[in-house]
Amino acid sequence: MSDSPASLPNLSRRRILLGVTGSIAAYKSALLVRLLKKSGAYVQVLMTEGASRFISPLTLGTLSEREVLTEIFPEGPSSEDGGWTKHVDLGLWADLLVVAPATAQTLAKLAHGFCDSMLTATALSARCPMMVCPAMDRDMYTHPSTQRNLTLLREDGHIVMPAAHGELASGLVGQGRMPEPNAIVQRIAHELEDRAFAADRDAHEKAPNETRAVEKPNDSLDGKRVLVTAGPTQEPVDPVRMLTNPSTGTMGFEVAREAARRGADVTLVAGPTSLDTPPGVTRVDVRTTEEMHEAVQSRREEVDLVVMAAAVADYTPKNPSDSKQKKEDGNLVLHLRRTPDILKTLGEHKQPGQTLVGFALETDDGPANARRKIERKNLDWIVLNDPKEEGAGFGTKTNRVTLFHRDGYAEEVPLQSKSQVARILLDRVTASVPEPSGETP
């Protein structure tokens, strides 16, 4: 994702407190401040003593255009004009307090109410919501103490943006990386949007005679692990020819993007596509159905939600040629074999508490085929669409689908952008299932 103003959310006049702590990932805070400023936000940086070992307060002060604060009891001129109560003033000023990176030490202090720096004092004084973005080594992140502290913060109503998976400073590979600045900015915008909705809703409830349309807020996926597949597969006939389909992967990429915006730790297994990786998403590129099968099955036991949006080939050449097949007179005969049924295998090995969502592209008897597929593959939800309908199917930015739940619930989603369809789908998947409608779309 580009960091150009056109690609950034509108945070005009939003007041962001940014807490920076003593992690090697503190260097990313410079880009985070820059992106927040380009989005139109006011940014006040608070640094712990340890953070200044990794990045200079002068750097962050220059980028934020505000003095960086570290001490509860400042020395110098500011101490003479009530500077010692500045943590109270900041707690009233801010729309959101973001701690990025948040070390294990700082998470423990925030979870248990310690107050030994300007950052922790402001966190205790703040009336605004707080969002933490953990950054530490893999084993520190997965340690039961750290996970308990993250649970405490969530239970107190704070927002936890899961650490990203990747190579760590120690040389290990795993979860513990600070989320990328672009992803954090998008999440900030999402959280502030939801808070604005809540304020609108409360005002609407106090004035019931007003008729304002207020959209339902997105349900959180904080702490959830989500696996999404997207795009086509390519089955080689020879080194230059293949069997494939017109899928661009847009629907699956939008589902992955929306899940990440809601706080999930998202892995996107993508077939060949030119789409950019959504912010905050871990991408695994594959080519064939067999490769996608292996990538999905190796991760099936560690995820809470699987959304199989990929357009996977059902057949592949039985004996692909190692060299280009020359054009001959007459017809070319291909012998095909079945590819692995990724979704059926997931259903056969479904984990306790896991939710499986499939997609069905049908041209005839769609509802009946979709319901049979739910039972046959042990799914919770299936998304049905028809490529013959204008604006739906492959290669479009829009979609028109019907959602089916295994309990009988069905809902037609009218033609709209694929990003909106992704929102509606995740709204339904994360919410309580409505009573069966008894209707067949």
Side-chain angles (χ1 to χ4, degrees):
M1 179 177 178
S2 167
D3 65 354
S4 65
S7 66
L8 292 169
N10 181 11
L11 294 174
S12 179
R13 305 181 71 82
R14 292 293 197 172
R15 294 168 298 212
I16 307 298
L17 287 173
L18 176 61
V20 182
T21 71
S23 162
I24 194 169
Y27 76 91
K28 294 183 180 181
S29 61
L31 177 57
L32 180 54
V33 171
R34 180 171 174 266
L35 295 182
L36 288 169
K37 292 288 290 181
K38 290 182 91 172
S39 297
Y42 301 124
V43 183
Q44 173 63 65
V45 179
L46 312 175
M47 291 180 70
T48 63
E49 182 181 355
S52 63
R53 295 171 181 250
F54 296 94
I55 188 168
S56 163
L58 178 61
T59 299
L60 297 182
T62 302
L63 292 172
S64 65
E65 301 177 295
R66 290 172 179 263
E67 178 189 4
V68 173
L69 303 175
T70 57
E71 302 294 333
I72 306 177
F73 304 108
E75 298 179 357
S78 61
S79 63
E80 299 172 2
D81 60 4
W84 63 275
T85 62
K86 190 164 286 188
H87 60 289
V88 177
D89 297 333
L90 291 173
L92 296 171
W93 172 82
D95 293 314
L96 185 67
L97 167 59
V98 180
V99 186
T103 60
Q105 171 83 336
T106 298
L107 290 173
K109 290 179 178 181
L110 294 172
H112 295 278
F114 282 53
C115 182
D116 60 354
S117 68
M118 177 60 83
L119 171 56
T120 52
T122 304
L124 285 178
S125 300
R127 295 186 182 179
C128 66
M130 179 174 69
M131 183 173 94
V132 297
C133 304
M136 64 200 73
D137 199 56
R138 180 187 67 187
D139 297 318
M140 295 174 69
Y141 184 72
T142 58
H143 194 281
S145 295
T146 302
Q147 292 302 310
R148 277 196 299 271
N149 289 332
L150 291 173
T151 298
L152 280 174
L153 289 168
R154 290 190 186 98
E155 289 175 350
D156 285 344
H158 302 304
I159 306 150
V160 177
M161 189 170 183
H165 186 282
E167 186 174 352
L168 305 170
S170 65
L172 297 175
V173 175
Q175 194 171 7
R177 289 174 61 91
M178 172 177 152
E180 291 304 311
N182 269 320
I184 295 174
V185 172
Q186 296 292 336
R187 184 65 187 276
I188 288 170
H190 173 64
E191 293 298 335
L192 292 175
E193 178 185 332
D194 275 1
R195 303 283 166 172
F197 163 83
D200 248 6
R201 178 196 58 205
D202 291 344
H204 185 66
E205 289 174 352
K206 291 177 182 177
N209 292 329
E210 295 183 16
T211 55
R212 289 182 294 166
V214 181
E215 294 185 1
K216 180 181 178 180
N218 297 327
D219 290 317
S220 173
L221 285 170
D222 276 340
K224 299 296 184 181
R225 295 159 299 180
V226 176
L227 177 65
V228 181
T229 66
T233 58
Q234 295 177 351
E235 310 300 324
V237 174
D238 60 30
V240 297
R241 301 181 180 92
M242 70 191 75
L243 302 180
T244 188
N245 60 66
S247 172
T248 60
T250 304
M251 189 68 249
F253 273 64
E254 290 300 332
V255 171
R257 185 189 313 277
E258 183 62 22
R261 287 183 68 233
R262 298 178 187 221
D265 177 12
V266 183
T267 299
L268 174 63
V269 179
T273 174
S274 60
L275 298 176
D276 292 333
T277 306
V281 170
T282 300
R283 179 170 175 172
V284 178
D285 286 310
V286 297
R287 182 188 180 197
T288 66
T289 301
E290 185 67 45
E291 291 173 356
M292 184 171 286
H293 177 74
E294 292 175 0
V296 169
Q297 303 307 329
S298 67
R299 294 166 172 83
R300 70 184 182 213
E301 294 182 0
E302 60 191 45
V303 295
D304 303 293
L305 169 63
V306 181
V307 181
M308 283 286 300
V312 180
D314 294 323
Y315 294 90
T316 187
K318 188 175 182 179
N319 297 301
S321 174
D322 293 331
S323 57
K324 180 182 176 183
Q325 298 187 40
K326 298 299 182 181
K327 184 165 52 178
E328 304 286 351
D329 293 336
N331 297 323
L332 172 67
V333 177
L334 287 178
H335 295 277
L336 305 178
R337 63 175 174 83
R338 282 297 307 268
T339 56
D341 192 325
I342 303 174
L343 197 51
K344 185 177 180 181
T345 305
L346 286 170
E348 291 170 348
H349 297 87
K350 189 175 179 181
Q351 304 298 302
Q354 191 175 68
T355 301
L356 299 183
V357 181
F359 274 67
L361 192 69
E362 301 285 349
T363 57
D364 301 289
D365 301 323
N369 287 331
R371 286 196 170 99
R372 280 195 292 268
K373 194 171 184 179
I374 285 180
E375 297 303 321
R376 190 170 68 250
K377 303 195 178 185
N378 192 23
L379 308 181
D380 297 283
W381 290 87
I382 198 161
V383 183
L384 171 67
N385 61 344
D386 184 343
K388 296 188 296 184
E389 293 190 6
E390 186 176 353
F394 295 138
T396 66
K397 294 184 178 180
T398 58
N399 211 349
R400 181 181 184 276
V401 304
T402 304
L403 309 180
F404 294 91
H405 187 265
R406 65 179 304 115
D407 286 349
Y409 172 76
E411 176 183 354
E412 289 189 354
V413 179
L415 185 69
Q416 53 197 295
S417 70
K418 287 183 176 177
S419 61
Q420 276 297 111
V421 172
R423 282 192 173 198
I424 293 169
L425 171 61
L426 290 180
D427 280 344
R428 301 301 179 266
V429 169
T430 57
S432 298
V433 180
E435 290 297 319
S437 62
E439 299 176 0
T440 302

